[in-house]
Amino acid sequence: MAAAESNTSLPDIFARWFAARGWQPRQHQLALVEHAARGESVLLVAPTGGGKTLAGFLPTLMELAQRPVPRLRRTGRTLHTLYISPLKALAVDVARNLEAPIAEMGLNVRAETRTGDTPPSRRRRQRYSPPDILLTTPEQLALLLSHRDAPRMFEHLKRVVLDELHALHNSKRGDLLALGLARLQKLAPAHRRVGLSATVADPAPLQRYLVPQPPGGEARAALLRGAAGAVPQVSILASEEYVPWAGHLARHAMAGVMAAIKSAKTALVFVNTRRQAELTFQDLWRLNEDNLAIALHHGSLAPGQRRKVEAAMATGRLRAVVCTSTLDLGIDWGAVDKVICIGAPKGAARLVQRIGRANHRLDEPSRALLVPANRFEVLECEAARAAVMAGELDGERLRDGGLDVLAQHVLGMACSAPFDADALYAEAVSASPYRALSREDFDRVVDFAATGGYALKRYDRYAKLRRTPEGSWRIAHPLLARQYRLNVGVIVEEPMIDIRLQARGRPMGAGGRVLGRLEEYFVEQLAPGDTFVFAGEVLAFEGIRDDAAFVSRTHDGEAQIPSYVGGKFPLSTFLARRVREMVSDPKSWQALPDPVHEWLRIQEWRSVLPQPGQLLVETFPRGARFFLVCYPFEGRLAHQTLGMLLTRRLERLKLRPTGFCANEYALAVWGLRDLAGLDLGRLFDEDMLGDDLDAWLLESNLYKRTFRNCAIVAGLIQRRSPGKEKTGRQVTFSTDLIYDVLREHEPDHILLRATYQDAAAGLLDIARLGEMLKRVKGRIVSRALDRVSPLAVPALLEISKEMVAGEAGEDVLREAEDALIADAMRVE
């Protein structure tokens, strides 16, 4: 590991620029310049505010400042540095910040962004007349590499800067980017890479990701660590009088959140879902008696609206922004002096990332306020705060590169030029996520791209590659290249529809400003006159015309909040372990609010506290049902999978289970027969991840949805074609038919394997569930109770909310909740 120390001195023009701003170059910035001078790829790991982004660009700016001017008079500029960001907003922000040193030093350097929001004319021009520095995203890189002129565009590339690499490398977007980097290595063998990352538990996977992997071996980029920043100041907003038992919105705390906004110069209010962002914004606006400038920012809003909010933040014109993960990463807004996190962070690393958005300066502590929405979240926030104070971070389980992503890349390379399978395989396995890829699997992916696979090869529509007389693979028809470019990328959104504000005095369909996009399935449920909240406004649905939903402004205190697919973060294994330890140790309860302290104390008296390494299982009757509640603390995804498998086993035992409900910490199963006295060792045996899991997958709609996403990523189903786009129903109908055919005729099809890989790592969290079942074997603690325990109340409240959903049952729900809590907390 390289120490962040250096004797390098900057060229005079750069030294004067630093001095004019009252800055001194940081040691890791100078050290990175040294690595660049030696022609080394390097990973810079440094906390937020450490000047990572400037460090990544310093070698580029120094090299471009020293080049002869004019350069390549006949052919124009050539691309020197490619900057890749996981967020469009971050690329735009970095470009804006890069303009200052370029202009102030008078450098003859042109930097431009390229995202999905960039005008098509500029994107076309960038291919034949690229800027010196291009700031873009993984999807745009894949798009550029699919063109015939990609070799000419990238042949003089000197450097690739990968920002926020920790957020990209272990994901499907990271797979796509890794394969793109492998192609860049072929087009520009002399280029070097700079990875910029926040502090991570283990930097080795990122070091491997940055450099080509040799056959049968391992290579790593150099590692450079920046100096540690000031310890952040993290407080928790939790009442000593009232803490909710369940829920995720923290609406009880909005007055405290508003007070925190008023005490700050500028605040970022982070929430975990788009739905929560809309609702939180409305709650705060109702409390905004001083008419403070508060804005909303999430991924479904129109790009123009998001850019306006970002520009207003950059110039300090806003007091607060309610936002989702769209603003998690790296954006430098110097005016932000407080971060407010609504709900538990679900991971220490995510919390550190969000905290770093405040006081974007290394030497000053960032200030953050955590707002837990329920009692378990109080514990989670305390655990996260302790981890941040101790400098401890979550690790993550590494995944193999997705076969569906590889299929998309193979088709993209054929769009660029015919390829030789041997050469493309060697290229693919040089990418870190695919270094273990077998030649057999690669050939099956190529065969899938060429024919659709054995079960589909009789259908011409799936034949996308053809062999040339020389044995190379080429695209079967030029139209396929256009289709590929319309569908490139691995982010599979639900089918969306534009939301347009009805122009006053004009008929529906005649113009109207686009507010953003909503999921098609939500809009289809609306009738004219229905009201909903979107883009921070209360809107009335007018109707659908020309593939857009038209709305008008209205006032309705009962307007519904759109629901969005996806969005919730899973509780990290690291944080779950800390919460388990806190629950089991009464000495750690002293800092907890009185209601939470009492909750745990009565749980200890009534039942038992789950200990680390154990699994507590409680059974009790309530009403006409019998409940089994267990506390794995493994996150909602693993608990949902466990619930599905347990109910199958209970059905075989003829115990008539009728449902289950999971949250991040517990799983509740209920049925019509007594669940006490079961052989829990057999019930929770690891073998449930065998036949029981396979049987459930055969009939699971969630699994079919995962297949649909893999089919879209792999290019089997094209959502968009020139001039048209498939509806959600059309896509689902097509993929369901194909899924059934493959399950019956080709169960080892490459897409079914990709689906299982995705489901195991994400939807089902099988590895984490398997580790839990193995850990608790022989360590299951059972308690047969006469009534509900305090620890079980949050899980049962989740059940109650599901049962009254869609009914006018607020009073019924409140009465049921009060009775449940009174029963659990009764001490006689």
Side-chain angles (χ1 to χ4, degrees), residues 259-515:
I261 291 173
K262 290 180 180 179
S263 69
K265 181 179 178 183
T266 306
L268 286 179
V269 183
F270 279 108
V271 297
N272 289 333
T273 67
R274 290 172 286 174
R275 183 175 188 273
Q276 189 179 6
E278 292 280 359
L279 197 140
T280 299
F281 179 81
Q282 291 295 318
D283 285 346
L284 291 175
W285 198 252
R286 279 190 286 269
L287 295 171
N288 190 11
E289 296 175 352
D290 297 335
N291 203 29
L292 302 180
I294 301 176
L296 177 66
H297 192 290
H298 63 69
S300 288
L301 300 181
Q305 177 62 24
R306 296 199 302 269
R307 298 294 93 81
K308 284 182 181 178
V309 172
E310 293 157 16
M313 282 293 287
T315 54
R317 289 182 280 125
L318 294 177
R319 290 294 298 275
V321 176
V322 179
C323 56
T324 60
S325 56
T326 52
L327 298 184
D328 259 2
L329 302 175
I331 295 175
D332 182 5
W333 286 327
V336 175
D337 60 345
K338 180 174 286 187
V339 162
I340 302 170
C341 297
I342 309 292
K346 304 304 172 190
R350 180 175 295 109
L351 177 58
V352 169
Q353 187 74 49
R354 288 183 168 179
I355 289 174
R357 306 281 66 78
N359 284 346
H360 211 264
R361 293 174 288 279
L362 185 66
D363 304 324
E364 298 180 19
S366 299
R367 292 191 301 143
L369 176 67
L370 309 185
V371 186
N374 59 59
R375 298 184 178 212
F376 269 121
E377 285 197 352
V378 171
L379 301 175
E380 192 180 326
C381 286
E382 289 285 359
R385 176 168 65 173
V388 170
M389 295 299 107
E392 299 176 8
L393 296 174
D394 320 89
E396 58 180 343
R397 183 179 288 107
L398 293 178
R399 49 183 293 287
D400 293 328
L403 297 175
D404 52 342
V405 181
L406 179 61
Q408 182 181 127
H409 177 73
V410 166
L411 185 60
M413 294 304 93
C415 292
S416 176
F419 67 82
D420 174 75
D422 292 339
L424 191 60
Y425 172 69
E427 189 178 302
V429 295
S430 72
S432 180
Y434 293 93
R435 59 184 183 149
L437 176 71
S438 70
R439 180 58 192 260
E440 179 185 3
D441 283 349
F442 175 81
D443 288 340
R444 292 191 64 191
V445 169
V446 173
D447 180 64
F448 161 75
T451 68
Y454 170 77
L456 301 175
K457 64 172 52 181
R458 71 181 68 180
Y459 303 103
D460 289 344
R461 78 189 71 161
Y462 302 119
K464 298 180 178 178
L465 301 182
R466 297 278 172 84
R467 293 293 288 267
T468 68
E470 297 77 24
S472 297
W473 291 95
R474 64 170 177 83
I475 199 77
H477 192 280
L479 179 63
L480 293 171
R482 292 181 64 193
Q483 287 184 327
Y484 170 85
R485 293 172 188 135
L486 287 171
N487 292 278
V488 69
V490 298
I491 300 175
V492 180
E493 294 180 327
E494 291 296 304
M496 308 288 279
I497 188 167
D498 284 347
I499 306 299
R500 286 185 175 271
L501 190 62
Q502 176 71 45
R504 287 186 178 181
R506 303 185 67 183
M508 187 171 67
R513 179 167 62 91
V514 176
L515 299 178

Side-chain angles (χ1 to χ4, degrees), residues 400-658:
D400 293 328
L403 297 175
D404 52 342
V405 181
L406 179 61
Q408 182 181 127
H409 177 73
V410 166
L411 185 60
M413 294 304 93
C415 292
S416 176
F419 67 82
D420 174 75
D422 292 339
L424 191 60
Y425 172 69
E427 189 178 302
V429 295
S430 72
S432 180
Y434 293 93
R435 59 184 183 149
L437 176 71
S438 70
R439 180 58 192 260
E440 179 185 3
D441 283 349
F442 175 81
D443 288 340
R444 292 191 64 191
V445 169
V446 173
D447 180 64
F448 161 75
T451 68
Y454 170 77
L456 301 175
K457 64 172 52 181
R458 71 181 68 180
Y459 303 103
D460 289 344
R461 78 189 71 161
Y462 302 119
K464 298 180 178 178
L465 301 182
R466 297 278 172 84
R467 293 293 288 267
T468 68
E470 297 77 24
S472 297
W473 291 95
R474 64 170 177 83
I475 199 77
H477 192 280
L479 179 63
L480 293 171
R482 292 181 64 193
Q483 287 184 327
Y484 170 85
R485 293 172 188 135
L486 287 171
N487 292 278
V488 69
V490 298
I491 300 175
V492 180
E493 294 180 327
E494 291 296 304
M496 308 288 279
I497 188 167
D498 284 347
I499 306 299
R500 286 185 175 271
L501 190 62
Q502 176 71 45
R504 287 186 178 181
R506 303 185 67 183
M508 187 171 67
R513 179 167 62 91
V514 176
L515 299 178
R517 310 190 83 201
L518 279 176
E519 270 84 349
E520 181 183 277
Y521 78 90
F522 172 78
V523 176
E524 286 177 345
Q525 299 172 27
L526 299 175
D530 285 352
T531 59
F532 62 96
V533 174
F534 181 64
E537 300 190 67
V538 180
L539 305 170
F541 177 65
E542 301 291 344
I544 296 178
R545 182 72 57 84
D546 299 330
D547 296 326
F550 284 82
V551 298
S552 58
R553 293 189 176 97
T554 188
H555 301 279
D556 184 357
E558 302 299 322
Q560 60 182 309
I561 306 291
S563 56
Y564 302 85
V565 172
K568 288 186 177 179
F569 297 113
L571 177 66
S572 73
T573 302
F574 167 79
L575 211 52
R577 185 179 71 248
R578 275 185 166 266
V579 173
R580 276 197 302 267
E581 292 170 352
M582 183 177 294
V583 169
S584 67
D585 180 16
K587 295 179 182 177
S588 67
W589 301 350
Q590 301 307 313
L592 300 176
D594 288 344
V596 180
H597 191 288
E598 180 190 29
W599 172 53
L600 295 177
R601 182 176 56 80
I602 295 178
Q603 169 68 24
E604 182 181 29
W605 177 75
R606 282 277 325 282
S607 175
V608 68
L609 296 170
Q611 299 296 307
Q614 293 180 345
L615 177 65
L616 172 62
V617 179
E618 297 174 333
T619 55
F620 51 85
R622 183 163 184 82
R625 297 182 180 88
F626 295 89
F627 290 85
L628 180 153
V629 182
C630 59
Y631 306 92
F633 290 86
E634 294 295 342
R636 186 182 298 269
L637 295 177
H639 293 172
Q640 286 176 336
T641 302
L642 179 60
M644 295 165 189
L645 299 177
L646 283 181
T647 51
R648 294 186 71 89
R649 292 198 155 187
L650 293 171
E651 284 171 359
R652 287 205 301 273
L653 293 171
K654 302 188 184 306
L655 291 173
R656 300 177 67 187
T658 55

Side-chain angles (χ1 to χ4, degrees), residues 797 800-802 804 809-818:
L797 287 178
S800 299
K801 289 177 181 177
E802 289 189 4
V804 301
E810 287 294 325
D811 292 338
V812 174
L813 180 58
R814 192 175 299 109
E815 289 175 9
E817 179 176 336
D818 292 343

